Amino acid sequence: MAFQNKEVIKKLTTVVIGSTALMLSLSVNAADGQLTIVTSFPSDLTKVFKKAFEKDNPGIKLEILKKKTTAGVKYIQETSAKNRTDLFWASAPDAFEVLKDDSLLQKYESSVKGLPDKVGAFPVNDPDGYYKGFAAAGYGIMWNERYIKAKKLPAPAQWADLTKAVYHNHVGMSAPSRSGTTHLTVETLLQGKGWDEGWKMQKEIAGNFKTVTERSFGVPDGVNSGNFGIGIVIDFFGLSSKGSGFPVDFVYPTATTLVPANIAIVANAPNKENAGKFIDYLLEPNGQELLLDPKIRRLPVNPATYAKAPEGFPNPFKDSSIGAAVKFDLTKSKNRYNLVNSLFDVMITYRLDDLRKATKAIQDAEAALAKKPNDDAAKLIAEARALIAKLPIDEAKSLDKEFAGIFKKKRKKATDKVTGRQAEVEQEWDKFVVENYAKAKELAEKAQSML
Amino acid sequence: MTVKASSGFLSRSNFGPKALAILIALFLIMFLAVPVAKVFIVAFQDPSTGSFTLINFVDFFKTSLFRESFWNSFYVSSVSVVVASIIALPLAYFTSRFNFGGTVIIQTLGIVPLIMPPFVGAVAMQLLFGSNGSVNLLLDEHLGFTIPFMEGLNGVIFVQSIHYFPFILINLSAALANIDRSMEESALSLGSNGMRLFRRIVFPLSMPGYVAGASIVFIKVFDDLGTPLLLNVNNMLAPQAYLRISSVGISDPMGYVISVILVIFSLFAMWVAFLALRGKDYATTQKGGGGLMKRDMKPAEKFIAYAIVLFILAVVLSPHLALGLLSFGTIWSYSVLPDAYTLEHYAEVFSSAGDFIKNTLLYAGMAATIDVVIGTAIAYIVWRTKIKGRKILDYLAMSALAVPGVVLGIGYLRTFYQFDVPFKDIPLANYWLIIVIALAIRRLPYAMRACVAALQQVSVSLEEASESLGARKMTTVKRIVIPLMTGGILAGFVTSFATAAVELSATIMLVSSEADAPIAYGIYVFMQSAAGRGPGAALGILAVVIVALGTYVSNRIIQKANQKNAMSPDQH
């Protein structure tokens, strides 16, 4: 018995050691055509492009590192000394601006010509030539048809609709700090409506939130599974969910902007040539057509590709109403990138419960007011609303370089002076916000008791 | 009970074992002690000046989000223990107090939850028990109310308690089974019975077992990263550590502060469990048979008992059921069941997920091999030699239990970023081998205990006999000791393999590319796209099958080995 067991162990050991050696040796002979891409795109998209590109270019093997936009930027920053990444491939142009400023990208002139300069109101490529747009996306609202039918909700059409009391506890969204596309959505709202009005509307919508999801995908996921009925998403999430068969629909509100999704070659890329080939592939008609795949559904930048799109597919080159209303200022967005992240989180994400309760109190009071008009109560409610909308800083401060610099999470040089620690400022804001929400709730409840 | 060989036989050079001990110590220090120490150092370091400071901890406790996360983790872990106990108590009561026909079901209940890691079923549970999930849709339609099973922290508590209650059940059952019948008889003869008997005799005697089980469950829930992440609950300690490190950066001190807190709590829970099991005061001198007196059930009692057991069985099986439905369903949106069924998802898994499976087999296999080799070596060194300081090796290896996966991952990232793998020019922290090492270190305590148990069943006299016949130490070990330990070693290997295959916490921190990812990470990634839910669930089922097979095979091996030992004559 013991002898047999020994044989078994011997065999096992040989097999394990043998296969390990085999694996190691196989990996030592890395494919000589290699390309490393850091991307925030889901595998539904990367899979399709990887297969098609590798088929067209048999000598090159793609290695895809999937990271959220913020994590991807962080990764490239942290590995810059020993850079191994060839391409950064993500939606948000402001993430590319952050990298461009850190001198972590390199210029590239694509061999594909004839693509338009603008899509909607936004330039397709970086004017300085560091990053290229290969698809466009806008922001909008998606909803679950079964859900709204069951709960008898009207289908939304504009951002302002989402502030209505009927949608309380039915809306989902991610946070700008967790999702590049959500950051763009919030900035679009801020730039489209102005700093004060934009935040006011943002908070009114947030008062109707069921949840702030951990990542942007959590929103279409929640709508698809019926967890919540309405989601604020980037268009391809809505369109691709619909394309995959889920009972959902999507609409662009008027105040939206079409922003290109981008790709850029990282500075000191080990495989610069292959990187260029990949970018060219994305911009060629074949690559552009891949964007129409039902699981991808992004807007191509090549107008001719739309001829192959299914019916009802939005076409920004034909329909000029999409994305023309807001002129997106990339520099503004870049300068207050981290600050907006923090502000959203402190005022909304971390205090969602307080905000929700205060909003519900106000909505209940307003419903009662509609039945029994009362000037004093109306005044209290208006005060309550103003308290919720109050901001700890104004737009001027948000653009103040020194103040915004506090929110650079990583101070690169000791000479970068900041006036305080980020934790301190956030704690100040938190106190401000908690007080105001509580007071707003109090006032609204007082108003209701008067009616 | 193990008699150490007298030094006369060990007078031949101790060089072999000594060198081995030093090598193993070096491995453990480099891959366990140093990364954890690094984490502690960074937590206490001022990020800009590098000097010792408590400011990071001050910042942590001043920030409301972190205070909330700390409290939430504590709350979730405690309530999970309570809920798990509520599930386990009636089951333990039925099996220990009565001649209950459903005992087999209860024994199955003790294993079934453990074969599916909580994060795998978490997403599927959302679909079944979420606010617009199957159960609530039915409740709302017919009874007009819903139950927030999966809202926020409740979701985490629900999923974790269903998964971890077997720990309490097993410990409690064992404790109850060990109560000497004579204790109960004496109490009865003195006039105490029923509630009073339970309160003053049974309960205190079974406490140690219960406390041991409860502290294990507490710490496992406290440290778990995968489940909150997949349920989108971020205001708990482990997800916050992960988010800080991945979004804010490897230099963000908060991730390290959280790690320190996690380790301290782990150590505390282990200490509590240790104290509970050490109490010699609870030992009873053997008189009558083990266990309380069992009586038969009246029909009404039988009915209630079966009802309760079957209800618990249904709840416990729900993650498996939900996962199965998700893996076969086409579209499951705002409805009680999926719209239609298909085999497409499995087809996709087998065609595109081959890499994940290959990686899992490779990583788990290597990790399990490392574990049994080191485990056997440590077992031998500690229990059969007299090398100074050998106990330290044991403690060092066991200390891996106190290090949560998240912390190990962060420690590795921080420590090994500067080192490049030779010949490959990649930082060690990004190379797939580091995942193997992390898995090996995390599973080592269990494998080692299996090897120690196996070694203790090999009588020293066999070694003495061998050496008295002239065999050298090395030959004795190779041809007598190890072959006799085979059962235990194999069991340790298989258990290590099965649990390493579904580890997520350390893996998610260390995986740098999908091509290098094992199955657990694959499930996580798949669950992140609308079209990926089905294949993700199919992959999850595959992972469950791997673990279930592993558990079954390991149990069979142990049973066979036990039979063999029971039959062989002289054993002392």
mmCIF file of all heavy atoms in Angstrom, chain A residues 27 47 65-66 74 78-79 84 144 146-147 210 214 217 221 224 226-227 421 430, chain B residues 59 64 131-132 232 234 248 250 333 339 348 417 424-425 512 514 528-530 533:
data_model
loop_
_atom_site.group_PDB
_atom_site.id
_atom_site.type_symbol
_atom_site.label_atom_id
_atom_site.label_comp_id
_atom_site.label_asym_id
_atom_site.label_seq_id
_atom_site.Cartn_x
_atom_site.Cartn_y
_atom_site.Cartn_z
ATOM 1 N N SER A 27 6.125 30.749 -21.654
ATOM 2 C CA SER A 27 5.945 32.186 -21.460
ATOM 3 C C SER A 27 7.225 32.963 -21.690
ATOM 4 O O SER A 27 7.197 34.147 -21.946
ATOM 5 C CB SER A 27 5.391 32.471 -20.071
ATOM 6 O OG SER A 27 6.162 31.827 -19.104
ATOM 7 N N LYS A 47 -12.892 42.243 -26.675
ATOM 8 C CA LYS A 47 -12.831 40.914 -27.293
ATOM 9 C C LYS A 47 -12.990 41.013 -28.798
ATOM 10 O O LYS A 47 -12.240 40.418 -29.572
ATOM 11 C CB LYS A 47 -13.996 40.067 -26.732
ATOM 12 C CG LYS A 47 -13.556 38.801 -26.122
ATOM 13 C CD LYS A 47 -14.654 37.907 -25.602
ATOM 14 C CE LYS A 47 -16.069 38.292 -25.829
ATOM 15 N NZ LYS A 47 -16.993 37.578 -24.941
ATOM 16 N N LEU A 65 -5.005 45.010 -20.441
ATOM 17 C CA LEU A 65 -5.067 45.190 -18.994
ATOM 18 C C LEU A 65 -6.301 46.019 -18.698
ATOM 19 O O LEU A 65 -6.370 47.181 -19.054
ATOM 20 C CB LEU A 65 -3.840 45.954 -18.491
ATOM 21 C CG LEU A 65 -2.606 45.153 -18.138
ATOM 22 C CD1 LEU A 65 -2.040 44.488 -19.356
ATOM 23 C CD2 LEU A 65 -1.577 46.029 -17.494
ATOM 24 N N LYS A 66 -7.263 45.388 -18.037
ATOM 25 C CA LYS A 66 -8.498 46.098 -17.808
ATOM 26 C C LYS A 66 -8.451 46.845 -16.492
ATOM 27 O O LYS A 66 -8.266 46.267 -15.430
ATOM 28 C CB LYS A 66 -9.644 45.099 -17.770
ATOM 29 C CG LYS A 66 -10.980 45.736 -17.838
ATOM 30 C CD LYS A 66 -11.712 45.307 -19.057
ATOM 31 C CE LYS A 66 -11.801 43.850 -19.017
ATOM 32 N NZ LYS A 66 -11.757 43.007 -19.985
ATOM 33 N N LYS A 74 -3.862 56.128 -12.905
ATOM 34 C CA LYS A 74 -2.957 55.937 -11.775
ATOM 35 C C LYS A 74 -1.864 54.930 -12.126
ATOM 36 O O LYS A 74 -0.694 55.130 -11.830
ATOM 37 C CB LYS A 74 -3.799 55.426 -10.611
ATOM 38 C CG LYS A 74 -3.227 55.409 -9.259
ATOM 39 C CD LYS A 74 -2.869 56.639 -8.503
ATOM 40 C CE LYS A 74 -3.034 58.000 -8.982
ATOM 41 N NZ LYS A 74 -2.955 59.016 -7.997
ATOM 42 N N GLU A 78 2.067 55.524 -12.143
ATOM 43 C CA GLU A 78 2.960 54.848 -11.204
ATOM 44 C C GLU A 78 4.009 53.990 -11.891
ATOM 45 O O GLU A 78 5.067 53.719 -11.337
ATOM 46 C CB GLU A 78 2.144 53.987 -10.225
ATOM 47 C CG GLU A 78 1.466 54.838 -9.189
ATOM 48 C CD GLU A 78 0.585 54.027 -8.251
ATOM 49 O OE1 GLU A 78 0.353 52.837 -8.530
ATOM 50 O OE2 GLU A 78 0.142 54.594 -7.258
ATOM 51 N N THR A 79 3.715 53.529 -13.123
ATOM 52 C CA THR A 79 4.694 52.669 -13.785
ATOM 53 C C THR A 79 5.517 53.431 -14.800
ATOM 54 O O THR A 79 6.234 52.833 -15.596
ATOM 55 C CB THR A 79 3.999 51.510 -14.519
ATOM 56 O OG1 THR A 79 3.077 52.064 -15.460
ATOM 57 C CG2 THR A 79 3.268 50.617 -13.556
ATOM 58 N N ARG A 84 5.640 49.856 -19.417
ATOM 59 C CA ARG A 84 5.479 48.642 -20.185
ATOM 60 C C ARG A 84 4.242 48.725 -21.065
ATOM 61 O O ARG A 84 3.945 47.810 -21.814
ATOM 62 C CB ARG A 84 5.290 47.447 -19.221
ATOM 63 C CG ARG A 84 6.112 46.272 -19.531
ATOM 64 C CD ARG A 84 6.358 45.524 -18.238
ATOM 65 N NE ARG A 84 7.306 46.202 -17.414
ATOM 66 C CZ ARG A 84 8.608 46.236 -17.636
ATOM 67 N NH1 ARG A 84 9.114 45.633 -18.676
ATOM 68 N NH2 ARG A 84 9.405 46.885 -16.830
ATOM 69 N N ASN A 144 -36.036 50.744 -17.606
ATOM 70 C CA ASN A 144 -36.523 49.379 -17.784
ATOM 71 C C ASN A 144 -38.016 49.441 -18.039
ATOM 72 O O ASN A 144 -38.783 49.911 -17.198
ATOM 73 C CB ASN A 144 -36.223 48.555 -16.528
ATOM 74 C CG ASN A 144 -36.636 47.103 -16.676
ATOM 75 O OD1 ASN A 144 -37.706 46.789 -17.167
ATOM 76 N ND2 ASN A 144 -35.774 46.200 -16.235
ATOM 77 N N ARG A 146 -40.391 47.157 -18.277
ATOM 78 C CA ARG A 146 -41.295 46.391 -17.400
ATOM 79 C C ARG A 146 -41.461 47.103 -16.067
ATOM 80 O O ARG A 146 -42.545 47.158 -15.498
ATOM 81 C CB ARG A 146 -40.710 45.006 -17.139
ATOM 82 C CG ARG A 146 -40.672 44.145 -18.360
ATOM 83 C CD ARG A 146 -40.160 42.774 -18.013
ATOM 84 N NE ARG A 146 -39.847 42.018 -19.223
ATOM 85 C CZ ARG A 146 -39.195 40.878 -19.226
ATOM 86 N NH1 ARG A 146 -38.762 40.371 -18.093
ATOM 87 N NH2 ARG A 146 -38.963 40.257 -20.358
ATOM 88 N N TYR A 147 -40.335 47.629 -15.563
ATOM 89 C CA TYR A 147 -40.350 48.301 -14.263
ATOM 90 C C TYR A 147 -41.271 49.503 -14.279
ATOM 91 O O TYR A 147 -42.128 49.660 -13.403
ATOM 92 C CB TYR A 147 -38.925 48.731 -13.956
ATOM 93 C CG TYR A 147 -38.664 49.324 -12.606
ATOM 94 C CD1 TYR A 147 -38.017 48.588 -11.619
ATOM 95 C CD2 TYR A 147 -39.016 50.637 -12.324
ATOM 96 C CE1 TYR A 147 -37.736 49.141 -10.393
ATOM 97 C CE2 TYR A 147 -38.742 51.182 -11.093
ATOM 98 C CZ TYR A 147 -38.093 50.433 -10.131
ATOM 99 O OH TYR A 147 -37.815 50.992 -8.914
ATOM 100 N N LYS A 210 -31.761 55.684 -5.897
ATOM 101 C CA LYS A 210 -31.847 54.486 -5.084
ATOM 102 C C LYS A 210 -30.445 54.108 -4.627
ATOM 103 O O LYS A 210 -30.240 53.589 -3.543
ATOM 104 C CB LYS A 210 -32.432 53.342 -5.907
ATOM 105 C CG LYS A 210 -32.523 52.068 -5.125
ATOM 106 C CD LYS A 210 -33.752 51.309 -5.503
ATOM 107 C CE LYS A 210 -33.863 50.090 -4.605
ATOM 108 N NZ LYS A 210 -33.787 48.855 -5.350
ATOM 109 N N GLU A 214 -20.942 51.367 -7.629
ATOM 110 C CA GLU A 214 -19.497 51.398 -7.451
ATOM 111 C C GLU A 214 -18.779 51.651 -8.772
ATOM 112 O O GLU A 214 -17.699 52.202 -8.804
ATOM 113 C CB GLU A 214 -19.038 50.065 -6.858
ATOM 114 C CG GLU A 214 -17.618 50.092 -6.326
ATOM 115 C CD GLU A 214 -16.620 49.424 -7.250
ATOM 116 O OE1 GLU A 214 -16.826 48.240 -7.572
ATOM 117 O OE2 GLU A 214 -15.628 50.059 -7.632
ATOM 118 N N PHE A 217 -20.687 50.470 -14.789
ATOM 119 C CA PHE A 217 -21.486 49.356 -15.283
ATOM 120 C C PHE A 217 -22.621 49.007 -14.332
ATOM 121 O O PHE A 217 -23.635 48.434 -14.735
ATOM 122 C CB PHE A 217 -20.609 48.122 -15.517
ATOM 123 C CG PHE A 217 -21.413 46.914 -15.846
ATOM 124 C CD1 PHE A 217 -22.138 46.864 -17.024
ATOM 125 C CD2 PHE A 217 -21.533 45.861 -14.960
ATOM 126 C CE1 PHE A 217 -22.928 45.771 -17.318
ATOM 127 C CE2 PHE A 217 -22.318 44.762 -15.251
ATOM 128 C CZ PHE A 217 -23.020 44.725 -16.436
ATOM 129 N N ASP A 221 -26.516 47.682 -15.371
ATOM 130 C CA ASP A 221 -26.770 46.392 -14.768
ATOM 131 C C ASP A 221 -28.005 46.441 -13.882
ATOM 132 O O ASP A 221 -28.854 45.562 -13.917
ATOM 133 C CB ASP A 221 -25.550 46.007 -13.925
ATOM 134 C CG ASP A 221 -25.665 44.610 -13.436
ATOM 135 O OD1 ASP A 221 -26.075 43.742 -14.219
ATOM 136 O OD2 ASP A 221 -25.350 44.374 -12.259
ATOM 137 N N ASN A 224 -31.023 46.812 -16.131
ATOM 138 C CA ASN A 224 -31.299 45.555 -16.843
ATOM 139 C C ASN A 224 -31.967 44.526 -15.945
ATOM 140 O O ASN A 224 -32.879 43.828 -16.359
ATOM 141 C CB ASN A 224 -29.998 44.942 -17.380
ATOM 142 C CG ASN A 224 -29.480 45.688 -18.585
ATOM 143 O OD1 ASN A 224 -30.203 46.450 -19.197
ATOM 144 N ND2 ASN A 224 -28.225 45.464 -18.913
ATOM 145 N N GLY A 226 -33.641 45.113 -13.318
ATOM 146 C CA GLY A 226 -34.845 45.604 -12.674
ATOM 147 C C GLY A 226 -34.645 46.011 -11.235
ATOM 148 O O GLY A 226 -35.590 46.237 -10.502
ATOM 149 N N ASN A 227 -33.377 46.118 -10.819
ATOM 150 C CA ASN A 227 -33.108 46.527 -9.456
ATOM 151 C C ASN A 227 -33.582 47.964 -9.209
ATOM 152 O O ASN A 227 -34.170 48.260 -8.176
ATOM 153 C CB ASN A 227 -31.606 46.420 -9.208
ATOM 154 C CG ASN A 227 -31.297 46.326 -7.740
ATOM 155 O OD1 ASN A 227 -32.189 46.160 -6.915
ATOM 156 N ND2 ASN A 227 -30.040 46.436 -7.394
ATOM 157 N N ARG A 421 -4.638 69.737 4.110
ATOM 158 C CA ARG A 421 -4.720 68.375 3.635
ATOM 159 C C ARG A 421 -6.099 68.093 3.089
ATOM 160 O O ARG A 421 -7.089 68.608 3.580
ATOM 161 C CB ARG A 421 -4.387 67.390 4.750
ATOM 162 C CG ARG A 421 -2.909 67.165 4.884
ATOM 163 C CD ARG A 421 -2.608 65.935 5.736
ATOM 164 N NE ARG A 421 -3.595 65.722 6.755
ATOM 165 C CZ ARG A 421 -3.583 66.320 7.912
ATOM 166 N NH1 ARG A 421 -2.639 67.193 8.202
ATOM 167 N NH2 ARG A 421 -4.530 66.064 8.815
ATOM 168 N N ASP A 430 -18.048 68.083 4.623
ATOM 169 C CA ASP A 430 -18.988 67.083 5.121
ATOM 170 C C ASP A 430 -19.849 67.679 6.222
ATOM 171 O O ASP A 430 -21.075 67.516 6.234
ATOM 172 C CB ASP A 430 -18.217 65.863 5.630
ATOM 173 C CG ASP A 430 -19.137 64.756 6.065
ATOM 174 O OD1 ASP A 430 -19.891 64.251 5.206
ATOM 175 O OD2 ASP A 430 -19.131 64.404 7.263
ATOM 176 N N ASP B 59 -6.259 60.787 10.871
ATOM 177 C CA ASP B 59 -7.050 61.111 9.682
ATOM 178 C C ASP B 59 -8.143 60.079 9.460
ATOM 179 O O ASP B 59 -9.284 60.420 9.152
ATOM 180 C CB ASP B 59 -6.150 61.124 8.430
ATOM 181 C CG ASP B 59 -5.498 62.470 8.208
ATOM 182 O OD1 ASP B 59 -5.988 63.437 8.803
ATOM 183 O OD2 ASP B 59 -4.523 62.530 7.450
ATOM 184 N N SER B 64 -15.422 60.706 8.328
ATOM 185 C CA SER B 64 -16.659 59.986 8.647
ATOM 186 C C SER B 64 -16.848 58.742 7.788
ATOM 187 O O SER B 64 -17.379 57.745 8.258
ATOM 188 C CB SER B 64 -17.863 60.915 8.513
ATOM 189 O OG SER B 64 -17.690 61.718 7.381
ATOM 190 N N SER B 131 -34.614 43.787 -4.233
ATOM 191 C CA SER B 131 -35.877 44.499 -3.983
ATOM 192 C C SER B 131 -36.854 44.285 -5.120
ATOM 193 O O SER B 131 -38.062 44.410 -4.933
ATOM 194 C CB SER B 131 -35.622 45.981 -3.774
ATOM 195 O OG SER B 131 -34.897 46.476 -4.867
ATOM 196 N N ASN B 132 -36.388 43.981 -6.309
ATOM 197 C CA ASN B 132 -37.298 43.600 -7.392
ATOM 198 C C ASN B 132 -36.959 42.216 -7.902
ATOM 199 O O ASN B 132 -37.153 41.906 -9.065
ATOM 200 C CB ASN B 132 -37.233 44.617 -8.525
ATOM 201 C CG ASN B 132 -37.770 45.957 -8.102
ATOM 202 O OD1 ASN B 132 -38.844 46.036 -7.521
ATOM 203 N ND2 ASN B 132 -37.006 46.999 -8.335
ATOM 204 N N ASN B 232 -21.764 45.610 -4.548
ATOM 205 C CA ASN B 232 -21.729 47.053 -4.677
ATOM 206 C C ASN B 232 -21.844 47.767 -3.328
ATOM 207 O O ASN B 232 -22.369 48.872 -3.248
ATOM 208 C CB ASN B 232 -22.880 47.493 -5.600
ATOM 209 C CG ASN B 232 -22.642 48.855 -6.161
ATOM 210 O OD1 ASN B 232 -21.510 49.274 -6.315
ATOM 211 N ND2 ASN B 232 -23.705 49.564 -6.415
ATOM 212 N N ASN B 234 -19.729 49.528 -0.667
ATOM 213 C CA ASN B 234 -18.346 49.983 -0.549
ATOM 214 C C ASN B 234 -17.993 50.563 0.785
ATOM 215 O O ASN B 234 -16.824 50.801 1.049
ATOM 216 C CB ASN B 234 -18.085 51.073 -1.586
ATOM 217 C CG ASN B 234 -18.240 50.506 -2.949
ATOM 218 O OD1 ASN B 234 -17.696 49.465 -3.229
ATOM 219 N ND2 ASN B 234 -19.012 51.154 -3.770
ATOM 220 N N VAL B 248 -6.819 55.571 -5.758
ATOM 221 C CA VAL B 248 -6.044 56.703 -5.291
ATOM 222 C C VAL B 248 -4.555 56.433 -5.441
ATOM 223 O O VAL B 248 -3.763 57.332 -5.634
ATOM 224 C CB VAL B 248 -6.395 57.018 -3.819
ATOM 225 C CG1 VAL B 248 -5.608 58.196 -3.335
ATOM 226 C CG2 VAL B 248 -7.878 57.312 -3.722
ATOM 227 N N ILE B 250 -1.010 53.464 -4.875
ATOM 228 C CA ILE B 250 -0.313 52.558 -3.961
ATOM 229 C C ILE B 250 0.292 53.334 -2.799
ATOM 230 O O ILE B 250 0.666 52.759 -1.778
ATOM 231 C CB ILE B 250 0.774 51.774 -4.722
ATOM 232 C CG1 ILE B 250 1.260 50.596 -3.887
ATOM 233 C CG2 ILE B 250 1.947 52.632 -5.100
ATOM 234 C CD1 ILE B 250 0.279 49.500 -3.731
ATOM 235 N N SER B 333 -35.054 39.830 -16.261
ATOM 236 C CA SER B 333 -35.202 41.237 -15.916
ATOM 237 C C SER B 333 -36.573 41.498 -15.338
ATOM 238 O O SER B 333 -37.571 41.316 -16.011
ATOM 239 C CB SER B 333 -35.006 42.080 -17.184
ATOM 240 O OG SER B 333 -35.357 43.417 -16.932
ATOM 241 N N ASP B 339 -36.633 34.659 -18.778
ATOM 242 C CA ASP B 339 -37.598 34.564 -19.869
ATOM 243 C C ASP B 339 -37.541 33.221 -20.574
ATOM 244 O O ASP B 339 -38.551 32.648 -20.944
ATOM 245 C CB ASP B 339 -37.328 35.650 -20.911
ATOM 246 C CG ASP B 339 -37.690 37.028 -20.374
ATOM 247 O OD1 ASP B 339 -38.255 37.093 -19.263
ATOM 248 O OD2 ASP B 339 -37.408 38.018 -21.054
ATOM 249 N N GLU B 348 -20.132 29.447 -24.488
ATOM 250 C CA GLU B 348 -19.186 30.552 -24.506
ATOM 251 C C GLU B 348 -18.074 30.347 -23.489
ATOM 252 O O GLU B 348 -16.909 30.620 -23.769
ATOM 253 C CB GLU B 348 -19.911 31.871 -24.223
ATOM 254 C CG GLU B 348 -18.953 33.016 -24.380
ATOM 255 C CD GLU B 348 -19.629 34.350 -24.247
ATOM 256 O OE1 GLU B 348 -20.849 34.408 -24.517
ATOM 257 O OE2 GLU B 348 -18.934 35.306 -23.885
ATOM 258 N N TYR B 417 7.265 45.820 -5.916
ATOM 259 C CA TYR B 417 7.223 46.567 -7.141
ATOM 260 C C TYR B 417 8.605 46.843 -7.695
ATOM 261 O O TYR B 417 8.801 46.898 -8.894
ATOM 262 C CB TYR B 417 6.371 47.860 -7.013
ATOM 263 C CG TYR B 417 5.973 48.174 -8.385
ATOM 264 C CD1 TYR B 417 4.992 47.399 -8.994
ATOM 265 C CD2 TYR B 417 6.715 49.037 -9.138
ATOM 266 C CE1 TYR B 417 4.708 47.542 -10.305
ATOM 267 C CE2 TYR B 417 6.427 49.186 -10.483
ATOM 268 C CZ TYR B 417 5.435 48.436 -11.048
ATOM 269 O OH TYR B 417 5.170 48.545 -12.382
ATOM 270 N N LYS B 424 12.944 38.301 -17.269
ATOM 271 C CA LYS B 424 11.689 38.686 -17.889
ATOM 272 C C LYS B 424 11.452 40.185 -17.895
ATOM 273 O O LYS B 424 10.625 40.660 -18.632
ATOM 274 C CB LYS B 424 10.516 38.002 -17.160
ATOM 275 C CG LYS B 424 10.503 36.546 -17.363
ATOM 276 C CD LYS B 424 9.361 35.956 -18.134
ATOM 277 C CE LYS B 424 8.512 36.885 -18.891
ATOM 278 N NZ LYS B 424 7.578 36.214 -19.752
ATOM 279 N N ASP B 425 12.181 40.895 -17.033
ATOM 280 C CA ASP B 425 12.040 42.349 -17.078
ATOM 281 C C ASP B 425 10.638 42.839 -16.721
ATOM 282 O O ASP B 425 10.172 43.838 -17.247
ATOM 283 C CB ASP B 425 12.392 42.828 -18.506
ATOM 284 C CG ASP B 425 12.940 44.246 -18.449
ATOM 285 O OD1 ASP B 425 13.467 44.612 -17.385
ATOM 286 O OD2 ASP B 425 12.801 44.962 -19.432
ATOM 287 N N SER B 512 -2.710 41.462 -12.915
ATOM 288 C CA SER B 512 -2.470 42.665 -13.700
ATOM 289 C C SER B 512 -2.964 42.517 -15.129
ATOM 290 O O SER B 512 -3.109 43.485 -15.832
ATOM 291 C CB SER B 512 -0.991 43.008 -13.708
ATOM 292 O OG SER B 512 -0.274 41.888 -14.151
ATOM 293 N N GLU B 514 -5.681 40.123 -17.869
ATOM 294 C CA GLU B 514 -6.670 39.057 -17.940
ATOM 295 C C GLU B 514 -6.088 37.738 -18.371
ATOM 296 O O GLU B 514 -6.575 36.685 -17.990
ATOM 297 C CB GLU B 514 -7.768 39.459 -18.915
ATOM 298 C CG GLU B 514 -9.110 39.353 -18.280
ATOM 299 C CD GLU B 514 -10.166 39.935 -19.147
ATOM 300 O OE1 GLU B 514 -10.581 39.257 -20.102
ATOM 301 O OE2 GLU B 514 -10.553 41.076 -18.871
ATOM 302 N N GLN B 528 -19.279 41.885 -14.987
ATOM 303 C CA GLN B 528 -19.276 43.326 -15.177
ATOM 304 C C GLN B 528 -19.791 43.751 -16.534
ATOM 305 O O GLN B 528 -19.586 44.870 -16.946
ATOM 306 C CB GLN B 528 -17.859 43.852 -15.018
ATOM 307 C CG GLN B 528 -17.372 43.632 -13.621
ATOM 308 C CD GLN B 528 -16.170 44.458 -13.338
ATOM 309 O OE1 GLN B 528 -15.858 45.369 -14.069
ATOM 310 N NE2 GLN B 528 -15.493 44.126 -12.277
ATOM 311 N N SER B 529 -20.427 42.860 -17.267
ATOM 312 C CA SER B 529 -21.033 43.332 -18.509
ATOM 313 C C SER B 529 -22.400 42.705 -18.632
ATOM 314 O O SER B 529 -22.639 41.596 -18.175
ATOM 315 C CB SER B 529 -20.154 42.976 -19.700
ATOM 316 O OG SER B 529 -20.322 41.622 -20.032
ATOM 317 N N ALA B 530 -23.297 43.444 -19.271
ATOM 318 C CA ALA B 530 -24.683 42.984 -19.364
ATOM 319 C C ALA B 530 -24.757 41.612 -19.997
ATOM 320 O O ALA B 530 -25.436 40.709 -19.523
ATOM 321 C CB ALA B 530 -25.501 43.979 -20.180
ATOM 322 N N ARG B 533 -23.395 38.234 -17.776
ATOM 323 C CA ARG B 533 -23.937 37.627 -16.582
ATOM 324 C C ARG B 533 -24.090 36.129 -16.727
ATOM 325 O O ARG B 533 -23.729 35.367 -15.849
ATOM 326 C CB ARG B 533 -25.312 38.206 -16.285
ATOM 327 C CG ARG B 533 -25.232 39.528 -15.671
ATOM 328 C CD ARG B 533 -24.171 39.476 -14.605
ATOM 329 N NE ARG B 533 -24.041 40.646 -13.858
ATOM 330 C CZ ARG B 533 -25.007 41.179 -13.126
ATOM 331 N NH1 ARG B 533 -26.194 40.645 -13.112
ATOM 332 N NH2 ARG B 533 -24.801 42.256 -12.445
#
